[in-house]
Amino acid sequence: ASNVHDGWLTQDGSGFPLDRWGMIEDPFERVNAYAALNYQFDSFDLSADITYSTSESKDEIDPPFLNKWVWLGNDFTFDVPNGIEERVFADDGGWTKLHYTFFEAGPRNHRNKRDYLSANLTLSGDVLEDWLWDVNFSSGKSEAELLNRNALRTDRINDQFAIIGPCQDTNSCPAFSPFERPSQGVLDYILDEHITTTDIVSHAMSANIAGDLFELPAGTVQMSAGLEVRYEGLEYSPSELWQSGNLTSQQTPMDASRNIKEVYAEVLVPLLADLPGVKALDVEAAVRKADYSSASSTFTSTKLGVNWAINNELRFRSTFSTAVRAPQLTELFAGQSIGFSTMTDPCHATEIGGGPVDGRRLGNCAKLGIEPGWISNISTERGKSISEGNANLKEEEAETFTLGFVYQP
């Protein structure tokens, strides 16, 4: 609903066209370079490659804004038009929500730049005729830079729409009223840009060997084994302005790394072959141990599988495995992040019909005395959200059983 009072237009919603800002497709540019070398020596093979990638992307959202409840009886630094003050006091006791958009500044926008460099070296060969081996070394680093523009500084304009901050010390604050359009001086003072960087480093070395162990009546027993050592490092450096808490959101830095050591072994055992109803029956087993310095723990994953071929057309497969996933560095050590998100009330008129298909949400809301059609006072409002890593996180464990068949006529 909207109305005009004493020449002033009041309108529900944000007060500006939502489709004016943003991009149907965000601009994105990327350049890749790749080089590889392969050479065969008498006793082993060598392969090496190097990759470089640089990219830049841009995106934009709606302009910076202030959206606050105020009581028009307060002592403001600006004059409230008489017509507005009279109407708001008559209808709502002086309380109103002022949503002011600084659209003259243009959209809030971001520029993301990323450089990535990696190199790999692999040596491989065979030994004792039936065994293959390889050793791999890899290293990579990515550097990312995020430029935020048109960020609203909450240390320079407060909830009462007053210009504050260092200009108060010199009595040079630009004049501003939420009932007038801002001057360029206001925009230059309350809006800022800042840069955040993220550096990720990884190094790894792995060695593998695979071959035949011995012969059984049904075939050859095969195995493979290997080890891997990895280093992971992540440094996240928000701008000082973003860390200060003087924006509408806040980020804290993160600098974490860890070493990972893994070993594994796999074996394939043919049990039966070329029998009535059993073209081939194989059993495979695998185990992997991983040690993470960040969690000071050793994790073990296992797999046991059966592969039964009745004939050339029909084959049954079954696998039982246990898997472990260690927490990522960001899940463990990410610094506190403070932002705002739109809140949803499950009992609100547009939400109460959702939830599980058994209708339990309707029942739960009814127990609170809420019937369909109720309008929540928090729905569509924005509330503060806080997230951060948890150094006490433990590994995730999963057990999986699969059973299937393959038919190839």
Side-chain angles (χ1 to χ4, degrees):
S2 64
N3 64 80
V4 177
H5 185 73
D6 287 354
W8 289 90
L9 173 66
T10 60
Q11 181 179 3
D12 293 343
S14 60
F16 70 96
L18 293 174
D19 58 355
R20 179 176 176 182
W21 314 105
M23 303 175 182
I24 296 178
E25 183 175 338
D26 294 332
F28 181 84
E29 297 179 355
R30 180 171 59 193
V31 176
N32 295 327
Y34 175 79
L37 171 67
N38 296 283
Y39 192 85
Q40 291 184 324
F41 292 91
D42 293 337
S43 56
F44 66 93
D45 298 336
L46 179 149
S47 63
D49 64 76
I50 185 169
T51 300
Y52 173 74
S53 176
T54 182
S55 62
E56 180 173 328
S57 63
K58 299 178 182 178
D59 64 84
E60 64 178 40
I61 55 176
D62 55 320
F65 63 90
L66 271 180
N67 185 26
K68 302 294 182 182
W69 282 97
V70 297
W71 185 61
L72 296 187
N74 286 335
D75 185 15
F76 295 108
T77 59
F78 51 83
D79 294 327
V80 180
N82 291 332
I84 294 291
E85 186 174 9
E86 292 171 2
R87 181 60 180 267
V88 172
F89 268 94
D91 292 347
D92 299 299
W95 284 98
T96 188
K97 176 183 282 189
L98 293 181
H99 189 123
Y100 191 93
T101 302
F102 300 92
F103 59 80
E104 292 87 352
R108 290 172 288 168
N109 59 89
H110 314 91
R111 185 202 67 197
N112 292 275
K113 295 179 65 177
R114 180 176 180 267
D115 292 315
Y116 172 74
L117 179 65
S118 69
N120 297 279
L121 172 65
T122 299
L123 306 177
S124 60
D126 59 79
V127 62
L128 301 177
E129 296 184 355
D130 294 329
W131 289 81
L132 301 176
W133 63 269
D134 66 80
V135 179
N136 178 266
F137 304 89
S138 63
S139 182
K141 181 177 184 179
S142 69
E143 298 177 344
E145 178 185 277
L146 172 63
L147 171 62
N148 289 272
R149 295 191 178 100
N150 279 342
L152 183 67
R153 297 191 58 148
T154 57
D155 63 331
R156 297 193 173 184
I157 184 169
N158 64 17
D159 290 352
Q160 298 299 306
F161 294 85
I163 303 299
I164 57 174
C167 67
Q168 293 176 298
D169 298 334
T170 57
N171 198 27
S172 59
C173 294
F176 174 70
S177 168
F179 299 99
E180 299 175 359
R181 298 317 306 162
S183 67
Q184 188 62 47
V186 169
L187 297 178
D188 292 341
Y189 183 72
I190 67 173
L191 301 180
D192 213 333
E193 65 178 41
H194 57 98
I195 293 176
T196 292
T197 61
T198 304
D199 295 339
I200 301 175
V201 177
S202 63
H203 308 295
M205 186 282 290
S206 63
N208 306 279
I209 189 168
D212 300 338
L213 284 177
F214 52 84
E215 292 290 331
L216 290 178
T220 304
V221 177
Q222 301 173 322
M223 79 158 295
S224 62
L227 61 87
E228 183 175 6
V229 179
R230 302 195 306 274
Y231 169 85
E232 299 175 348
L234 189 155
E235 183 177 0
Y236 175 64
S237 302
S239 66
E240 291 185 5
L241 179 58
W242 211 353
Q243 296 182 49
S244 68
N246 292 326
L247 299 174
T248 54
S249 63
Q250 184 177 7
Q251 297 281 315
T252 52
M254 168 187 171
D255 188 358
S257 62
R258 66 182 176 189
N259 297 307
I260 305 168
K261 302 173 184 177
E262 294 185 339
V263 294
Y264 77 92
E266 300 178 355
V267 62
L268 175 64
V269 181
L271 298 180
L272 300 173
D274 299 324
L275 296 175
V278 184
K279 179 67 176 179
L281 178 62
D282 301 332
V283 173
E284 58 179 320
V287 61
R288 176 181 291 266
K289 278 187 172 291
D291 179 80
Y292 286 75
S293 62
S294 57
S296 299
S297 298
T298 299
F299 311 137
T300 302
S301 302
T302 59
K303 183 180 76 170
L304 180 65
V306 177
N307 191 347
W308 173 25
I310 296 178
N311 50 43
N312 291 332
E313 297 180 350
L314 184 60
R315 178 187 302 268
F316 288 91
R317 294 175 176 173
S318 180
T319 302
F320 177 77
S321 62
T322 61
V324 179
R325 189 189 80 90
Q328 298 299 308
L329 285 175
T330 51
E331 295 172 324
L332 290 166
F333 306 117
Q336 189 177 86
S337 171
I338 301 176
F340 290 84
S341 59
T342 301
M343 295 183 291
T344 300
D345 191 325
C347 294
H348 184 70
T350 60
E351 303 290 336
I352 196 170
V357 294
D358 60 7
R360 71 183 66 177
R361 180 176 294 182
L362 277 168
N364 290 336
C365 294
K367 292 177 181 179
L368 299 173
I370 299 174
E371 299 297 330
W374 178 71
I375 303 299
S376 170
N377 64 344
I378 68 166
S379 187
T380 72
E381 294 291 328
R382 292 179 62 80
K384 180 181 289 187
S385 60
I386 301 175
S387 63
E388 63 181 311
N390 182 356
N392 295 318
L393 280 180
K394 300 299 182 181
E395 67 276 11
E396 296 178 1
E397 299 181 358
E399 293 184 350
T400 305
F401 176 76
T402 60
L403 178 64
F405 69 91
V406 177
Y407 179 65
Q408 294 177 311

